[in-house]
Amino acid sequence: MELFRNIYRNWKWFGINTLGLSVAFACIFLAAIFVRFQLSFDRFHTKADRIYRVTVDDNRGASSMHPARVIGDWTKKLVSDYPVIEKMVRLTPFRSAVVRIGEQKFYSENIFATDSTFFDVFDFKVLAGNPKAVLTQPNCAIISRKLALKYFGKLDVIGKEITILPQQEPKPMIFTINGVMEDFPLNSHFHADLLTSFSALDGKESWAYSYYLIKKDADISLLKRSVEKQWKKTTPTSDPVAKIFFQKITDIHLYSHKTRELEPNGNVRSLILIMSGAFIIFFIALLNFLNLSRVEFIANSRKYKIKLIHGASKNVLSRNIALNSIFLSLLSVVVGCILTSLIGNYLGVEIFIPSNKGILFLMILISVVIVALLSITPIVTSKLTADTKLKAVHQNVYALPLIVQFILAIIAISCTLVLTRQMNYINNQHPEARNGNMIVSQNNSFGIIHNYDVLKRELLSLPGVLDMTSALEGPGGDILDNCEYEMEGVDKKKDQTVNILTTDANFFEMMNIKPLAGSVLLGFTPSLQWEADAYKLNALRSNKSNENKRLEELQEKVGDYREQYVINFSALKMLGLKNPNDAIGKRFRLNFFIPELFPEGTVVAVVPDFHYTNMHSLEKALVVTPRKMYNSCFIIKIDSMRQKETLASINRIWQKINPDFPFSYSFISESYQRIYTDEIAQTRVLSLFAIMAILLSTLGVYAMVSFNIQRKVKEIGIRKVNGASRISILLMLNRKLMVWVGIAIVFAVPVAYYATYKWLENFAYKTDLSWWIFALAGLLTLGIVLITVSWQSWRAATRNPVEALRYE
């Protein structure tokens, strides 16, 4: 009963501590669950410590790239050349494939052709069929539980047929299902809806993600050096020496940021950021509790002294205080779990699952122990005895914890401002990223691309369609295709290449990209039919065909068209030119393996580095040229006033022209944001933590000021009787808080600057760390503190001094 009486008498103290500790527990528990999940990726494989992915860095200077997949059959030969390699698995994606099951059609980017050793290396469970034989037959497939239930309504689907049309294949393929596999765990770095045997993609297995199962205790560094040595022997000396990497599968999710990753990966910096934010919240809550415990101890010092006089010991008092705090901490845990569950439901994440029980128990134990220890700190460190008088505690006893709170709050606010500023900066750099009237249809198949001219003509006839263009890659995608080149008046370095982006002729106009020199109004450009004829002409010439009449016909159709090339500013610098006008009109040729498709031409424009791709790395030297047959991304500008009806009309025309392909699209802003998912999540989480830090610090300041004013009622009354003004009373009560915030700013700014500087290293293009950001964070903190205490200070300053003295 004494516990509840204490709660009733000190309801303000109890409520503030319960709220603060509940929020802190929820934050730290959520952060722990998130970090545990991120660290668990691919560790469910029993052989995870022996599975490695091989990658190659080709070291090609300005166009250098390090893709996650490898090219060539050499990876398969390593199995026989090196006994330490037990087995190999390759994954070749179908990319954006259309799947037909019965009358239902849908897109999937999670379909792979793979080796029969797949289930020998990876621990994905097979629910139906023989894991040893399921991928050994031609044109066989194994389907996930999710797809089987969704499209067949049952798991007994062996013998059923499905049709798959890969993005880069002209005709659909028919597969027979001979197995069903369990859905891949969320903590796998890749997920598959369908797996097929390699016979389905005959000749395409040389473009694959390659994994090896290595024998126990093998020396990976020795294997790497041996493979690189063999590579150097078998590769012409003119080619750059490649660097071979064997990457442990458990390192892929957090530490691999290569091009062409199977799925977007996480980032270990995200874990550090989120855990740091959670610990800031937890630490602030504990500091609040410690400060308020001191306040409560001082307020009840007379009661404790009486108990000591009646024979109670310090140990007994400490035990009673600790028991009260355990009740408080357990209540906070219950409220914190409710908050955690609500946040988890909002995020669509299941929090209270069996695998999280260990973390929950550990968090509860840590919270209870720490709160209990902090609660008895004031009485243990005091000199309170039965025959001595307890001296008044000076403000400096709780000044340090408050200053630390202010420091943490300023850091959180500063980081939030910088992260938000950086994301806004990025959005402003990408072309048309904020245009809500542009939709993007990406990864279209060759069949859809073939109908591009017809589709564009019909869509432009709609009153709600303002314009349409196309490109090789979608907004935010990686531009990785490159080849060597020749340019008039430029001495090219050995093995130097330039990246290529093919577009429609109106790409620059529609994306509002202005030239630095020349003109992006390209006028006439060849049709898809011309491109097809150029491709056929090259095939006949390459095969040294004797069909002279056919050769003449195709040569006449292709004609003497001269290509129009647009280069970006990075390409201008790579070419050794300083003035964009110096490049205009210069003869230029791409040494593409189909020369008829990219004939010699001239540079017609120089454009700025327009950041069509992501901004994690520096812009590469880029050549843009109009060519439609490779443009799998369609960009359509629509009238915002007719958005709903226009989208319906586009879908109708799409189905008429491309009946075998569903219409799939996203807005251009979503396309850009998809590549910054990790950074956007970090900004949101840190913003939430900053709000929590401010809230908890405000509660702490409110409680401390209430206590401080209560102790100074008599002093305030005497000052007012002697003629002190209200302003001077306010300054007296708030002066130290302002000094403490000033001290906090001095210590917080260097820490916040370093933290944000390191985070910005993720980007090649970043916002400035202006001084005003940190000044604003400090002023916001000071403003929140003053607003929190001002009404209490004003009440004390305007109170009748006679009543204050009578109260004393």
Side-chain angles (χ1 to χ4, degrees), residues 733-762:
L733 294 174
N734 294 341
R735 185 183 296 112
K736 284 201 172 183
L737 280 172
M738 297 171 67
V739 172
W740 292 345
V741 173
I743 294 172
I745 292 173
V746 171
F747 284 95
V749 168
V751 177
Y753 180 88
Y754 178 77
T756 52
Y757 178 82
K758 296 300 290 184
W759 184 81
L760 287 173
E761 286 183 349
N762 289 323

PDB file of all heavy atoms in Angstrom, residues 733-762:
ATOM      1  N   LEU A 733      15.636  32.943 -13.007  1.00  0.00           N
ATOM      2  CA  LEU A 733      15.211  31.543 -13.060  1.00  0.00           C
ATOM      3  C   LEU A 733      15.716  30.828 -14.311  1.00  0.00           C
ATOM      4  O   LEU A 733      15.906  29.610 -14.295  1.00  0.00           O
ATOM      5  CB  LEU A 733      13.676  31.479 -13.011  1.00  0.00           C
ATOM      6  CG  LEU A 733      13.018  31.941 -11.705  1.00  0.00           C
ATOM      7  CD1 LEU A 733      11.511  31.969 -11.851  1.00  0.00           C
ATOM      8  CD2 LEU A 733      13.424  31.032 -10.538  1.00  0.00           C
ATOM      9  N   ASN A 734      15.918  31.573 -15.414  1.00  0.00           N
ATOM     10  CA  ASN A 734      16.262  30.935 -16.692  1.00  0.00           C
ATOM     11  C   ASN A 734      17.734  31.081 -17.068  1.00  0.00           C
ATOM     12  O   ASN A 734      18.189  30.444 -18.020  1.00  0.00           O
ATOM     13  CB  ASN A 734      15.410  31.525 -17.822  1.00  0.00           C
ATOM     14  CG  ASN A 734      13.941  31.200 -17.658  1.00  0.00           C
ATOM     15  OD1 ASN A 734      13.582  30.271 -16.938  1.00  0.00           O
ATOM     16  ND2 ASN A 734      13.080  31.984 -18.298  1.00  0.00           N
ATOM     17  N   ARG A 735      18.488  31.932 -16.335  1.00  0.00           N
ATOM     18  CA  ARG A 735      19.860  32.225 -16.737  1.00  0.00           C
ATOM     19  C   ARG A 735      20.707  30.951 -16.827  1.00  0.00           C
ATOM     20  O   ARG A 735      21.419  30.735 -17.794  1.00  0.00           O
ATOM     21  CB  ARG A 735      20.483  33.223 -15.769  1.00  0.00           C
ATOM     22  CG  ARG A 735      21.893  33.667 -16.200  1.00  0.00           C
ATOM     23  CD  ARG A 735      22.524  34.604 -15.190  1.00  0.00           C
ATOM     24  NE  ARG A 735      21.768  35.855 -15.086  1.00  0.00           N
ATOM     25  CZ  ARG A 735      21.075  36.232 -14.027  1.00  0.00           C
ATOM     26  NH1 ARG A 735      21.035  35.448 -12.938  1.00  0.00           N
ATOM     27  NH2 ARG A 735      20.422  37.381 -14.002  1.00  0.00           N
ATOM     28  N   LYS A 736      20.612  30.124 -15.807  1.00  0.00           N
ATOM     29  CA  LYS A 736      21.474  28.939 -15.804  1.00  0.00           C
ATOM     30  C   LYS A 736      21.110  27.956 -16.916  1.00  0.00           C
ATOM     31  O   LYS A 736      21.981  27.311 -17.501  1.00  0.00           O
ATOM     32  CB  LYS A 736      21.401  28.250 -14.444  1.00  0.00           C
ATOM     33  CG  LYS A 736      22.206  28.972 -13.369  1.00  0.00           C
ATOM     34  CD  LYS A 736      22.547  28.056 -12.213  1.00  0.00           C
ATOM     35  CE  LYS A 736      23.526  28.773 -11.269  1.00  0.00           C
ATOM     36  NZ  LYS A 736      23.950  27.896 -10.162  1.00  0.00           N
ATOM     37  N   LEU A 737      19.819  27.853 -17.200  1.00  0.00           N
ATOM     38  CA  LEU A 737      19.414  26.976 -18.302  1.00  0.00           C
ATOM     39  C   LEU A 737      20.017  27.443 -19.619  1.00  0.00           C
ATOM     40  O   LEU A 737      20.483  26.640 -20.432  1.00  0.00           O
ATOM     41  CB  LEU A 737      17.891  26.942 -18.412  1.00  0.00           C
ATOM     42  CG  LEU A 737      17.154  26.027 -17.417  1.00  0.00           C
ATOM     43  CD1 LEU A 737      15.655  26.250 -17.525  1.00  0.00           C
ATOM     44  CD2 LEU A 737      17.488  24.570 -17.669  1.00  0.00           C
ATOM     45  N   MET A 738      20.016  28.754 -19.843  1.00  0.00           N
ATOM     46  CA  MET A 738      20.597  29.302 -21.067  1.00  0.00           C
ATOM     47  C   MET A 738      22.095  29.026 -21.125  1.00  0.00           C
ATOM     48  O   MET A 738      22.636  28.683 -22.182  1.00  0.00           O
ATOM     49  CB  MET A 738      20.323  30.805 -21.150  1.00  0.00           C
ATOM     50  CG  MET A 738      18.826  31.145 -21.245  1.00  0.00           C
ATOM     51  SD  MET A 738      18.466  32.912 -21.092  1.00  0.00           S
ATOM     52  CE  MET A 738      19.201  33.528 -22.586  1.00  0.00           C
ATOM     53  N   VAL A 739      22.760  29.149 -19.982  1.00  0.00           N
ATOM     54  CA  VAL A 739      24.202  28.848 -19.931  1.00  0.00           C
ATOM     55  C   VAL A 739      24.440  27.376 -20.230  1.00  0.00           C
ATOM     56  O   VAL A 739      25.353  27.010 -20.975  1.00  0.00           O
ATOM     57  CB  VAL A 739      24.774  29.225 -18.547  1.00  0.00           C
ATOM     58  CG1 VAL A 739      26.215  28.725 -18.421  1.00  0.00           C
ATOM     59  CG2 VAL A 739      24.715  30.733 -18.349  1.00  0.00           C
ATOM     60  N   TRP A 740      23.595  26.503 -19.657  1.00  0.00           N
ATOM     61  CA  TRP A 740      23.773  25.069 -19.873  1.00  0.00           C
ATOM     62  C   TRP A 740      23.557  24.696 -21.344  1.00  0.00           C
ATOM     63  O   TRP A 740      24.277  23.867 -21.888  1.00  0.00           O
ATOM     64  CB  TRP A 740      22.796  24.300 -18.996  1.00  0.00           C
ATOM     65  CG  TRP A 740      23.097  24.419 -17.524  1.00  0.00           C
ATOM     66  CD1 TRP A 740      24.244  24.864 -16.949  1.00  0.00           C
ATOM     67  CD2 TRP A 740      22.202  24.131 -16.441  1.00  0.00           C
ATOM     68  NE1 TRP A 740      24.151  24.863 -15.588  1.00  0.00           N
ATOM     69  CE2 TRP A 740      22.895  24.415 -15.239  1.00  0.00           C
ATOM     70  CE3 TRP A 740      20.895  23.669 -16.348  1.00  0.00           C
ATOM     71  CZ2 TRP A 740      22.332  24.232 -13.989  1.00  0.00           C
ATOM     72  CZ3 TRP A 740      20.328  23.483 -15.106  1.00  0.00           C
ATOM     73  CH2 TRP A 740      21.030  23.754 -13.934  1.00  0.00           C
ATOM     74  N   VAL A 741      22.566  25.312 -21.977  1.00  0.00           N
ATOM     75  CA  VAL A 741      22.349  25.049 -23.409  1.00  0.00           C
ATOM     76  C   VAL A 741      23.544  25.534 -24.218  1.00  0.00           C
ATOM     77  O   VAL A 741      23.979  24.877 -25.174  1.00  0.00           O
ATOM     78  CB  VAL A 741      21.049  25.721 -23.898  1.00  0.00           C
ATOM     79  CG1 VAL A 741      20.921  25.603 -25.416  1.00  0.00           C
ATOM     80  CG2 VAL A 741      19.834  25.098 -23.227  1.00  0.00           C
ATOM     81  N   GLY A 742      24.104  26.703 -23.838  1.00  0.00           N
ATOM     82  CA  GLY A 742      25.297  27.212 -24.525  1.00  0.00           C
ATOM     83  C   GLY A 742      26.466  26.254 -24.402  1.00  0.00           C
ATOM     84  O   GLY A 742      27.187  25.995 -25.390  1.00  0.00           O
ATOM     85  N   ILE A 743      26.680  25.714 -23.216  1.00  0.00           N
ATOM     86  CA  ILE A 743      27.758  24.722 -23.018  1.00  0.00           C
ATOM     87  C   ILE A 743      27.492  23.493 -23.879  1.00  0.00           C
ATOM     88  O   ILE A 743      28.407  22.937 -24.506  1.00  0.00           O
ATOM     89  CB  ILE A 743      27.857  24.338 -21.525  1.00  0.00           C
ATOM     90  CG1 ILE A 743      28.312  25.540 -20.698  1.00  0.00           C
ATOM     91  CG2 ILE A 743      28.814  23.165 -21.337  1.00  0.00           C
ATOM     92  CD1 ILE A 743      28.244  25.317 -19.199  1.00  0.00           C
ATOM     93  N   ALA A 744      26.221  23.055 -23.921  1.00  0.00           N
ATOM     94  CA  ALA A 744      25.862  21.881 -24.719  1.00  0.00           C
ATOM     95  C   ALA A 744      26.145  22.100 -26.204  1.00  0.00           C
ATOM     96  O   ALA A 744      26.636  21.202 -26.898  1.00  0.00           O
ATOM     97  CB  ALA A 744      24.387  21.549 -24.509  1.00  0.00           C
ATOM     98  N   ILE A 745      25.868  23.311 -26.688  1.00  0.00           N
ATOM     99  CA  ILE A 745      26.129  23.623 -28.101  1.00  0.00           C
ATOM    100  C   ILE A 745      27.621  23.488 -28.407  1.00  0.00           C
ATOM    101  O   ILE A 745      28.002  22.929 -29.445  1.00  0.00           O
ATOM    102  CB  ILE A 745      25.625  25.040 -28.446  1.00  0.00           C
ATOM    103  CG1 ILE A 745      24.095  25.091 -28.389  1.00  0.00           C
ATOM    104  CG2 ILE A 745      26.120  25.484 -29.819  1.00  0.00           C
ATOM    105  CD1 ILE A 745      23.515  26.482 -28.550  1.00  0.00           C
ATOM    106  N   VAL A 746      28.463  23.985 -27.514  1.00  0.00           N
ATOM    107  CA  VAL A 746      29.915  23.924 -27.722  1.00  0.00           C
ATOM    108  C   VAL A 746      30.383  22.482 -27.875  1.00  0.00           C
ATOM    109  O   VAL A 746      31.225  22.170 -28.732  1.00  0.00           O
ATOM    110  CB  VAL A 746      30.646  24.615 -26.545  1.00  0.00           C
ATOM    111  CG1 VAL A 746      32.157  24.372 -26.647  1.00  0.00           C
ATOM    112  CG2 VAL A 746      30.353  26.099 -26.540  1.00  0.00           C
ATOM    113  N   PHE A 747      29.833  21.583 -27.069  1.00  0.00           N
ATOM    114  CA  PHE A 747      30.268  20.185 -27.121  1.00  0.00           C
ATOM    115  C   PHE A 747      29.554  19.392 -28.226  1.00  0.00           C
ATOM    116  O   PHE A 747      30.123  18.457 -28.789  1.00  0.00           O
ATOM    117  CB  PHE A 747      30.006  19.502 -25.774  1.00  0.00           C
ATOM    118  CG  PHE A 747      30.999  19.874 -24.704  1.00  0.00           C
ATOM    119  CD1 PHE A 747      30.719  20.892 -23.805  1.00  0.00           C
ATOM    120  CD2 PHE A 747      32.226  19.234 -24.623  1.00  0.00           C
ATOM    121  CE1 PHE A 747      31.629  21.250 -22.818  1.00  0.00           C
ATOM    122  CE2 PHE A 747      33.143  19.582 -23.646  1.00  0.00           C
ATOM    123  CZ  PHE A 747      32.853  20.598 -22.743  1.00  0.00           C
ATOM    124  N   ALA A 748      28.309  19.764 -28.526  1.00  0.00           N
ATOM    125  CA  ALA A 748      27.517  18.979 -29.481  1.00  0.00           C
ATOM    126  C   ALA A 748      27.923  19.225 -30.929  1.00  0.00           C
ATOM    127  O   ALA A 748      27.923  18.289 -31.741  1.00  0.00           O
ATOM    128  CB  ALA A 748      26.034  19.292 -29.301  1.00  0.00           C
ATOM    129  N   VAL A 749      28.272  20.457 -31.275  1.00  0.00           N
ATOM    130  CA  VAL A 749      28.538  20.800 -32.677  1.00  0.00           C
ATOM    131  C   VAL A 749      29.668  19.965 -33.291  1.00  0.00           C
ATOM    132  O   VAL A 749      29.500  19.422 -34.390  1.00  0.00           O
ATOM    133  CB  VAL A 749      28.821  22.313 -32.820  1.00  0.00           C
ATOM    134  CG1 VAL A 749      29.387  22.631 -34.196  1.00  0.00           C
ATOM    135  CG2 VAL A 749      27.534  23.106 -32.588  1.00  0.00           C
ATOM    136  N   PRO A 750      30.842  19.803 -32.632  1.00  0.00           N
ATOM    137  CA  PRO A 750      31.896  18.983 -33.246  1.00  0.00           C
ATOM    138  C   PRO A 750      31.458  17.533 -33.473  1.00  0.00           C
ATOM    139  O   PRO A 750      31.775  16.948 -34.514  1.00  0.00           O
ATOM    140  CB  PRO A 750      33.046  19.063 -32.233  1.00  0.00           C
ATOM    141  CG  PRO A 750      32.784  20.290 -31.441  1.00  0.00           C
ATOM    142  CD  PRO A 750      31.299  20.410 -31.370  1.00  0.00           C
ATOM    143  N   VAL A 751      30.729  16.980 -32.505  1.00  0.00           N
ATOM    144  CA  VAL A 751      30.268  15.597 -32.645  1.00  0.00           C
ATOM    145  C   VAL A 751      29.271  15.475 -33.796  1.00  0.00           C
ATOM    146  O   VAL A 751      29.359  14.561 -34.629  1.00  0.00           O
ATOM    147  CB  VAL A 751      29.632  15.099 -31.322  1.00  0.00           C
ATOM    148  CG1 VAL A 751      29.093  13.682 -31.492  1.00  0.00           C
ATOM    149  CG2 VAL A 751      30.635  15.157 -30.188  1.00  0.00           C
ATOM    150  N   ALA A 752      28.318  16.397 -33.844  1.00  0.00           N
ATOM    151  CA  ALA A 752      27.312  16.381 -34.909  1.00  0.00           C
ATOM    152  C   ALA A 752      27.960  16.597 -36.272  1.00  0.00           C
ATOM    153  O   ALA A 752      27.582  15.944 -37.261  1.00  0.00           O
ATOM    154  CB  ALA A 752      26.255  17.454 -34.648  1.00  0.00           C
ATOM    155  N   TYR A 753      28.925  17.493 -36.343  1.00  0.00           N
ATOM    156  CA  TYR A 753      29.620  17.752 -37.611  1.00  0.00           C
ATOM    157  C   TYR A 753      30.325  16.486 -38.104  1.00  0.00           C
ATOM    158  O   TYR A 753      30.213  16.113 -39.285  1.00  0.00           O
ATOM    159  CB  TYR A 753      30.636  18.875 -37.440  1.00  0.00           C
ATOM    160  CG  TYR A 753      31.393  19.212 -38.711  1.00  0.00           C
ATOM    161  CD1 TYR A 753      30.879  20.142 -39.613  1.00  0.00           C
ATOM    162  CD2 TYR A 753      32.599  18.586 -39.016  1.00  0.00           C
ATOM    163  CE1 TYR A 753      31.559  20.443 -40.788  1.00  0.00           C
ATOM    164  CE2 TYR A 753      33.277  18.871 -40.186  1.00  0.00           C
ATOM    165  CZ  TYR A 753      32.754  19.807 -41.070  1.00  0.00           C
ATOM    166  OH  TYR A 753      33.426  20.082 -42.240  1.00  0.00           O
ATOM    167  N   TYR A 754      31.032  15.813 -37.209  1.00  0.00           N
ATOM    168  CA  TYR A 754      31.771  14.601 -37.603  1.00  0.00           C
ATOM    169  C   TYR A 754      30.810  13.509 -38.050  1.00  0.00           C
ATOM    170  O   TYR A 754      31.040  12.849 -39.075  1.00  0.00           O
ATOM    171  CB  TYR A 754      32.611  14.107 -36.431  1.00  0.00           C
ATOM    172  CG  TYR A 754      33.370  12.829 -36.731  1.00  0.00           C
ATOM    173  CD1 TYR A 754      34.528  12.855 -37.504  1.00  0.00           C
ATOM    174  CD2 TYR A 754      32.910  11.606 -36.259  1.00  0.00           C
ATOM    175  CE1 TYR A 754      35.212  11.686 -37.805  1.00  0.00           C
ATOM    176  CE2 TYR A 754      33.582  10.432 -36.543  1.00  0.00           C
ATOM    177  CZ  TYR A 754      34.734  10.475 -37.315  1.00  0.00           C
ATOM    178  OH  TYR A 754      35.403   9.304 -37.607  1.00  0.00           O
ATOM    179  N   ALA A 755      29.711  13.305 -37.300  1.00  0.00           N
ATOM    180  CA  ALA A 755      28.754  12.253 -37.632  1.00  0.00           C
ATOM    181  C   ALA A 755      28.118  12.496 -39.000  1.00  0.00           C
ATOM    182  O   ALA A 755      28.017  11.576 -39.825  1.00  0.00           O
ATOM    183  CB  ALA A 755      27.679  12.166 -36.553  1.00  0.00           C
ATOM    184  N   THR A 756      27.697  13.722 -39.255  1.00  0.00           N
ATOM    185  CA  THR A 756      27.055  14.029 -40.537  1.00  0.00           C
ATOM    186  C   THR A 756      28.057  14.021 -41.685  1.00  0.00           C
ATOM    187  O   THR A 756      27.725  13.623 -42.803  1.00  0.00           O
ATOM    188  CB  THR A 756      26.354  15.394 -40.478  1.00  0.00           C
ATOM    189  OG1 THR A 756      27.277  16.387 -39.993  1.00  0.00           O
ATOM    190  CG2 THR A 756      25.163  15.342 -39.538  1.00  0.00           C
ATOM    191  N   TYR A 757      29.283  14.428 -41.412  1.00  0.00           N
ATOM    192  CA  TYR A 757      30.330  14.393 -42.441  1.00  0.00           C
ATOM    193  C   TYR A 757      30.575  12.952 -42.898  1.00  0.00           C
ATOM    194  O   TYR A 757      30.697  12.679 -44.099  1.00  0.00           O
ATOM    195  CB  TYR A 757      31.616  15.003 -41.893  1.00  0.00           C
ATOM    196  CG  TYR A 757      32.784  14.969 -42.848  1.00  0.00           C
ATOM    197  CD1 TYR A 757      32.923  15.933 -43.850  1.00  0.00           C
ATOM    198  CD2 TYR A 757      33.746  13.962 -42.777  1.00  0.00           C
ATOM    199  CE1 TYR A 757      33.975  15.889 -44.747  1.00  0.00           C
ATOM    200  CE2 TYR A 757      34.808  13.910 -43.661  1.00  0.00           C
ATOM    201  CZ  TYR A 757      34.923  14.884 -44.643  1.00  0.00           C
ATOM    202  OH  TYR A 757      35.973  14.836 -45.528  1.00  0.00           O
ATOM    203  N   LYS A 758      30.639  12.024 -41.935  1.00  0.00           N
ATOM    204  CA  LYS A 758      30.876  10.617 -42.271  1.00  0.00           C
ATOM    205  C   LYS A 758      29.682  10.049 -43.040  1.00  0.00           C
ATOM    206  O   LYS A 758      29.855   9.272 -43.978  1.00  0.00           O
ATOM    207  CB  LYS A 758      31.118   9.800 -41.000  1.00  0.00           C
ATOM    208  CG  LYS A 758      32.372  10.189 -40.230  1.00  0.00           C
ATOM    209  CD  LYS A 758      33.638  10.018 -41.058  1.00  0.00           C
ATOM    210  CE  LYS A 758      33.977   8.566 -41.322  1.00  0.00           C
ATOM    211  NZ  LYS A 758      35.255   8.416 -42.053  1.00  0.00           N
ATOM    212  N   TRP A 759      28.471  10.449 -42.662  1.00  0.00           N
ATOM    213  CA  TRP A 759      27.286   9.945 -43.368  1.00  0.00           C
ATOM    214  C   TRP A 759      27.253  10.457 -44.800  1.00  0.00           C
ATOM    215  O   TRP A 759      26.888   9.720 -45.722  1.00  0.00           O
ATOM    216  CB  TRP A 759      26.030  10.376 -42.622  1.00  0.00           C
ATOM    217  CG  TRP A 759      24.770   9.826 -43.225  1.00  0.00           C
ATOM    218  CD1 TRP A 759      24.235   8.579 -43.052  1.00  0.00           C
ATOM    219  CD2 TRP A 759      23.875  10.510 -44.124  1.00  0.00           C
ATOM    220  NE1 TRP A 759      23.064   8.445 -43.768  1.00  0.00           N
ATOM    221  CE2 TRP A 759      22.818   9.618 -44.438  1.00  0.00           C
ATOM    222  CE3 TRP A 759      23.847  11.786 -44.676  1.00  0.00           C
ATOM    223  CZ2 TRP A 759      21.770   9.958 -45.271  1.00  0.00           C
ATOM    224  CZ3 TRP A 759      22.801  12.120 -45.520  1.00  0.00           C
ATOM    225  CH2 TRP A 759      21.777  11.221 -45.806  1.00  0.00           C
ATOM    226  N   LEU A 760      27.640  11.689 -45.012  1.00  0.00           N
ATOM    227  CA  LEU A 760      27.623  12.263 -46.355  1.00  0.00           C
ATOM    228  C   LEU A 760      28.650  11.627 -47.280  1.00  0.00           C
ATOM    229  O   LEU A 760      28.582  11.795 -48.501  1.00  0.00           O
ATOM    230  CB  LEU A 760      27.859  13.781 -46.282  1.00  0.00           C
ATOM    231  CG  LEU A 760      26.691  14.622 -45.748  1.00  0.00           C
ATOM    232  CD1 LEU A 760      27.108  16.070 -45.571  1.00  0.00           C
ATOM    233  CD2 LEU A 760      25.483  14.525 -46.670  1.00  0.00           C
ATOM    234  N   GLU A 761      29.595  10.879 -46.703  1.00  0.00           N
ATOM    235  CA  GLU A 761      30.574  10.182 -47.530  1.00  0.00           C
ATOM    236  C   GLU A 761      29.921   9.103 -48.390  1.00  0.00           C
ATOM    237  O   GLU A 761      30.533   8.583 -49.324  1.00  0.00           O
ATOM    238  CB  GLU A 761      31.668   9.566 -46.654  1.00  0.00           C
ATOM    239  CG  GLU A 761      32.649  10.595 -46.093  1.00  0.00           C
ATOM    240  CD  GLU A 761      33.765   9.944 -45.279  1.00  0.00           C
ATOM    241  OE1 GLU A 761      33.653   8.736 -44.980  1.00  0.00           O
ATOM    242  OE2 GLU A 761      34.727  10.647 -44.941  1.00  0.00           O
ATOM    243  N   ASN A 762      28.662   8.744 -48.085  1.00  0.00           N
ATOM    244  CA  ASN A 762      27.937   7.785 -48.910  1.00  0.00           C
ATOM    245  C   ASN A 762      27.606   8.350 -50.283  1.00  0.00           C
ATOM    246  O   ASN A 762      27.231   7.604 -51.185  1.00  0.00           O
ATOM    247  CB  ASN A 762      26.623   7.381 -48.220  1.00  0.00           C
ATOM    248  CG  ASN A 762      26.851   6.501 -47.005  1.00  0.00           C
ATOM    249  OD1 ASN A 762      27.741   5.660 -47.010  1.00  0.00           O
ATOM    250  ND2 ASN A 762      26.056   6.698 -45.965  1.00  0.00           N
TER     251      ASN A 762
END
